[in-house]
Amino acid sequence: MPRLGQYGMHFSPDHQSFVQLGSSFYTHLSAQSLSSPYWVGRSRSVAKALGLEDNWLEGDEALRALTGNALLPGSQPLASVYSGHQFGQWAGQLGDGRALLLGEMRDAQNLPQEIQLKGAGHTPYSRMGDGRAVLRSSIREFLCSEAMHGLGIPTTRALCVTGSDTPIRREEIETAAVVTRVAPSFIRFGHFEHFAYNGMTEELKKLADYVIDRFYPACKDAANPYAALLEAVSERTAKMIAHWQAVGFCHGVMNTDNMSILGLTMDYGPFQFLDAFDPNHICNHSDDRGRYAYNKQPNIAYWNLFCLGQALLPLISSDGEPDLAVAALEPYKTIFPAELHARMSAKLGLPDAPATESSKAVIEGILKLLAKDKVDYTIFWRRLSHAVATNDFIPTRDMFLDREAFDAWSLSFHEHSAQIPCRPDADLMLKTNPAYVLRNHLGEQAIRAAKTKDFTELERLQELLESPFTEVTGMEAYATFPPDWASTIEISCSS
């Protein structure tokens, strides 16, 4: 594995596990360089987690290597092949069209982590794309990766963003950027679909065995290891989606090739944290049919798991009967609602509250009120936390047009609390309901400044998002209602 310390990242070719799967899984190629790279953003917490020396991330070697202009010692860059369903339709072969896996290293806790560049140039899987990423989308991915980690949501991480004045054409001419992404693995549902749909059962088994050996070793002892793998992935995915729904996060493009086999949030494109609470909200301007609307995310996740089950079926059942695969998906139907109930109960300051008719009514009641009056989701929960702490509910009540309806809900909330052993825990609420989330307009402000090579706004926002439950004096503007122009921001698949 890489040798860490004052020299930064080094990779040992003898221990690059994904490479050992064989040439059917990837293509070796080098990144395409960018002219005059510069630092845009860096995550000290990711560098620390990787065991890197702080000064390495300041140096020219790191800048060049993490832009794709120089090869790190021992690196064998590759782009992996996968397929997938996009917007519900089989899209055939896809793959890392603008991403390169540099290699694998051990982090500060001796756990394996893959290092990947996104935006490093054209690959055999780019199809009609140029293999590049633009500054705008790279900043959004960098900030959201770290924001999700700060919220405690399973996610890939982002070590840094580098930029270049190299022009890139999207809807308009923009400039290039590269994100360095970090995760134990970037394997997707689509990797399994690729080999299954191409009848490559030997490679499918090799991939499944690899994932089980490295990430789900308990499955090896199951009566059917591949059904156990599907069940374990279903459980992790259910927990991840419950996190999303509770915090008001919309992914925007939940294609099967954007779903992590490890239950990590990945591929941050047209995402959004809800402003006004609207269960039907569609954050992706390209999603004209609303397939990936906020309230559809739980069912889409199950649909994607069903696709994964179909891909694994040749390994699960020798006669092609789907019974075991379908059974392996069943835990999702119980784990997701249980996890979501637990997270919503924590938002109400009621940990370990049983899922009774009373508790469900309280949760459903407030969500209906929030939707009816289009109340700001994040601010409501934060104000409610302070209200429980101070017993002053007026600022929370004033967020509703129908104040009498809120009063009735508040009464039911207190009556429900009186029926259970605990009372609402304000400290828990303040540690569960964030003060800061990456709203679209906050990201847009950081992007606009970064286009002039002013990164102070990005750094300030990054710092707040890394500790989203800690209110900082003087930073109230980052925790208040979005401006009117925020509703005009359109985020699409090109974002």
Side-chain angles (χ1 to χ4, degrees):
M1 292 298 174
R3 177 166 47 87
L4 303 179
Q6 61 178 328
Y7 301 110
M9 286 183 184
H10 291 253
F11 303 96
S12 171
D14 295 335
H15 296 90
Q16 301 309 300
S17 60
F18 194 83
V19 172
Q20 296 170 16
L21 287 171
S23 59
S24 298
F25 293 82
Y26 56 79
T27 299
H28 277 300
L29 73 162
S30 298
Q32 297 171 330
S33 62
L34 288 170
S35 63
S36 305
Y38 55 86
W39 293 112
V40 175
R42 286 164 282 196
S43 172
R44 307 297 177 189
S45 66
V46 176
K48 183 178 180 180
L50 290 174
L52 298 173
E53 295 288 340
D54 279 346
N55 58 359
W56 184 77
L57 204 57
E58 302 285 346
D60 185 61
E61 178 193 65
L63 175 61
R64 290 185 294 112
L66 300 180
T67 305
N69 291 11
L71 196 63
L72 287 164
S75 177
Q76 296 180 326
L78 62 86
S80 71
V81 62
Y82 50 82
S83 297
H85 286 82
Q86 298 191 326
F87 290 90
Q89 303 298 317
W90 177 243
Q93 179 178 299
L94 302 167
D96 290 330
R98 55 178 172 172
L100 279 183
L101 177 64
L102 297 185
E104 183 182 292
M105 63 184 292
R106 293 276 174 175
D107 63 19
Q109 297 184 355
N110 202 35
L111 298 174
Q113 299 288 342
E114 292 182 348
I115 310 299
Q116 186 185 76
L117 300 185
K118 182 176 180 179
H122 194 272
T123 81
Y125 315 115
S126 297
R127 298 194 289 177
M128 300 299 291
D130 58 13
R132 291 300 187 187
V134 297
L135 182 66
R136 162 179 51 89
S137 61
S138 299
I139 287 175
R140 281 172 55 83
E141 172 143 2
F142 173 75
L143 287 174
C144 201
S145 298
E146 296 312 287
M148 294 289 270
H149 177 74
L151 291 166
I153 299 175
T155 180
T156 58
R157 302 292 302 276
L159 174 63
C160 63
V161 180
T162 65
S164 166
D165 291 335
T166 301
I168 303 295
R169 178 174 291 279
R170 292 295 183 263
E171 284 86 354
E172 59 185 15
I173 298 297
E174 303 186 55
T175 59
V178 177
V179 183
T180 299
R181 307 200 293 187
V182 180
S185 175
F186 289 94
I187 293 176
R188 307 145 186 273
F189 291 9
H191 280 93
F192 293 87
E193 288 186 290
H194 176 76
F195 295 110
Y197 273 77
N198 287 288
M200 302 170 70
T201 306
E202 183 178 341
E203 287 81 1
L204 178 66
K205 182 178 185 302
K206 195 172 187 179
L207 179 62
D209 289 342
Y210 169 80
V211 169
I212 289 172
D213 286 342
R214 288 183 64 81
F215 305 111
Y216 296 96
C219 294
K220 287 191 285 189
D221 298 326
N224 188 314
Y226 307 110
L229 171 62
L230 180 59
E231 183 173 341
V233 176
S234 297
E235 291 176 0
R236 287 198 188 187
T237 303
K239 293 176 181 178
M240 177 188 72
I241 300 297
H243 272 284
W244 290 6
Q245 300 303 111
V247 81
F249 175 75
C250 310
H251 185 280
V253 59
M254 289 176 65
N255 297 330
T256 59
D257 58 292
N258 293 335
M259 297 292 291
S260 163
I261 200 68
L262 301 183
L264 304 174
T265 314
M266 68 187 307
D267 290 351
Y268 293 97
F271 68 82
Q272 184 179 359
F273 287 86
L274 292 173
D275 291 329
F277 185 66
D278 177 5
N280 298 308
H281 182 70
I282 304 165
C283 71
N284 183 355
H285 188 62
S286 305
D287 185 10
D288 53 2
R289 295 187 179 182
R291 176 179 176 83
Y292 299 136
Y294 167 76
N295 64 349
K296 293 183 179 179
Q297 291 183 143
N299 286 339
I300 290 295
Y302 182 82
W303 192 92
N304 289 341
L305 286 163
F306 189 87
C307 291
L308 177 63
Q310 286 184 309
L312 289 171
L313 190 57
L315 306 181
I316 293 174
S317 173
S318 58
D319 57 8
E321 288 299 317
D323 294 355
L324 281 176
V326 172
L329 298 174
E330 283 300 303
Y332 182 91
K333 297 178 182 178
T334 55
I335 291 174
F336 168 73
E339 283 286 323
L340 182 58
H341 184 272
R343 299 203 172 280
M344 297 307 296
S345 294
K347 292 175 79 68
L348 289 168
L350 302 172
D352 304 319
T356 63
E357 291 303 316
S358 175
S359 65
K360 291 177 182 178
V362 169
I363 293 169
E364 291 172 4
I366 192 57
L367 292 177
K368 286 180 180 179
L369 284 184
L370 292 173
K372 177 186 174 184
D373 285 356
K374 298 292 187 290
V375 175
D376 189 282
Y377 190 74
T378 300
I379 295 177
F380 165 75
W381 288 107
R382 192 68 181 180
R383 284 195 183 180
L384 185 66
S385 306
H386 284 296
V388 170
T390 63
N391 202 33
D392 179 7
F393 284 79
I394 293 176
T396 311
R397 182 178 187 267
D398 286 346
M399 296 181 71
F400 293 83
L401 295 173
D402 190 346
R403 289 174 172 79
E404 291 184 358
F406 174 76
D407 292 340
W409 174 83
S410 182
L411 178 61
S412 69
F413 172 47
H414 287 95
E415 289 176 345
H416 169 70
S417 302
Q419 296 171 8
I420 57 179
C422 60
R423 294 292 182 269
D425 184 340
D427 288 338
L428 172 65
M429 296 176 73
L430 290 168
K431 293 175 182 176
T432 304
N433 299 313
Y436 310 106
V437 295
L438 182 55
R439 296 177 185 267
N440 272 350
H441 76 279
L442 296 178
E444 180 64 21
Q445 288 170 175
I447 290 165
R448 290 177 182 177
K451 287 180 176 180
T452 69
K453 294 188 172 61
D454 177 0
F455 307 117
T456 54
E457 185 65 20
L458 186 153
E459 293 168 359
R460 183 181 300 114
L461 183 55
Q462 178 188 348
E463 184 177 357
L464 293 173
L465 294 171
E466 287 177 344
S467 302
F469 305 103
T470 303
E471 295 180 31
V472 179
T473 302
M475 297 293 110
E476 291 80 9
Y478 295 87
T480 193
F481 297 96
D484 291 340
W485 61 265
S487 62
T488 67
I489 299 173
E490 292 185 350
I491 309 297
S492 69
C493 287
S494 68
S495 301

